[in-house]
């Protein structure tokens, strides 16, 4: 079932256990901070949001994005070309970051991981062409920066 609530569109499982989240706001609007919700209530039923949909926040104008701790999967191209994006919080609940999720986020300078980055399956070039990644929990032994991050400056 596909529903729109506020600025988000959700694809909800009939069992109320899964949802995909997409931004439907005017792409010209500029958010200071955007929190991706962990659950939504529709027609009296509460749905947990477990994934961010493919291309869901393409060209979003937020400067900061906080991902709720129910999200397990960030689909391909979820945040491509978010030019204003400077900071992202990725909780420990996220287990997979698909290819090109944050590609061409030219001003992305701070990604904070809520858990151990080595426990996340980060697909190739998930952060390519982003400005810089700073993560105190990330060491050279837990991540191959060429494979995962493409052209990132340290």
């Amino acid at each position: 079932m596909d529903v729109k609530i506020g600025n988000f569109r959700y694809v909800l499982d009939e069992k109320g256990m899964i949802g995909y989240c997409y931004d439907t706001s005017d792409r010209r609007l500029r958010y200071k901070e955007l929190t991706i919700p962990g659950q939504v209530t529709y027609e009296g039923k509460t749905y947990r949001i477990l994934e961010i949909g493919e291309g869901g926040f393409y060209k979003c104008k937020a400067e900061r994005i906080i991902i709720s701790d129910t999200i397990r999967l960030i689909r391909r191209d979820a945040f491509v070309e978010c030019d204003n994006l400077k900071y992202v919080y990725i909780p420990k609940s996220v287990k997979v970051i698909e290819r090109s999720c944050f590609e061409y986020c030219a001003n992305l300078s701070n990604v904070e991981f809520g858990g151990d980055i080595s426990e996340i399956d980060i697909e190739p070039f998930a952060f390519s062409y982003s400005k810089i990644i700073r993560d105190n929990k990330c060491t050279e032994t837990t991540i191959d920066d060429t494979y995962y991050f493409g052209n990132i400056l340290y």
Side-chain angles (χ1 to χ4, degrees):
M1 153 178 42
D2 192 340
V3 299
K4 183 176 185 234
I5 301 171
N7 285 336
F8 296 113
R9 181 172 64 90
Y10 301 92
V11 179
L12 304 173
D13 180 304
E14 294 298 325
K15 297 174 187 168
M17 296 180 61
I18 189 169
Y20 304 91
C21 185
Y22 297 90
D23 182 18
T24 61
S25 66
D26 183 336
R27 300 286 188 212
R28 295 170 295 177
L29 294 177
R30 189 172 186 162
Y31 306 98
K32 194 71 166 170
E33 182 171 295
L34 175 64
T35 299
I36 297 173
Q39 66 181 27
V40 63
T41 301
Y42 179 72
E43 295 184 348
K45 193 170 191 177
T46 299
Y47 297 84
R48 288 183 22 189
I49 305 305
L50 302 177
E51 300 179 12
I52 297 173
E54 183 173 327
F57 292 85
Y58 170 72
K59 289 194 175 184
C60 173
K61 298 296 181 192
E63 292 180 20
R64 294 172 51 88
I65 292 178
I66 310 298
I67 298 172
S68 294
D69 65 0
T70 61
I71 304 293
R72 296 179 186 163
L73 170 63
I74 303 173
R75 294 237 177 239
R76 179 186 177 107
D77 303 326
F79 298 96
V80 170
E81 294 185 39
C82 295
D83 294 335
N84 296 321
L85 187 59
K86 297 175 183 173
Y87 171 87
V88 174
Y89 173 74
I90 300 173
K92 66 181 178 179
S93 61
V94 172
K95 299 302 177 199
V96 178
I97 299 174
E98 288 187 350
R99 183 179 187 89
S100 305
C101 277
F102 295 94
E103 190 170 44
Y104 296 107
C105 294
N107 292 303
L108 182 58
S109 59
N110 194 346
V111 176
E112 181 181 347
F113 292 92
D116 185 350
I117 192 172
S118 67
E119 295 177 5
I120 302 174
D121 180 12
I122 302 175
E123 292 187 3
F125 306 107
F127 294 89
S128 62
Y129 304 103
S130 296
K131 186 176 179 183
I132 190 172
I133 296 296
R134 278 180 278 180
D135 174 29
N136 295 333
K137 296 176 183 144
C138 176
T139 67
E140 290 179 22
T141 60
T142 62
I143 194 157
D144 177 342
D145 63 341
T146 303
Y147 183 69
Y148 291 123
F149 295 119
N151 296 337
I152 289 183
L153 304 173
Y154 286 92

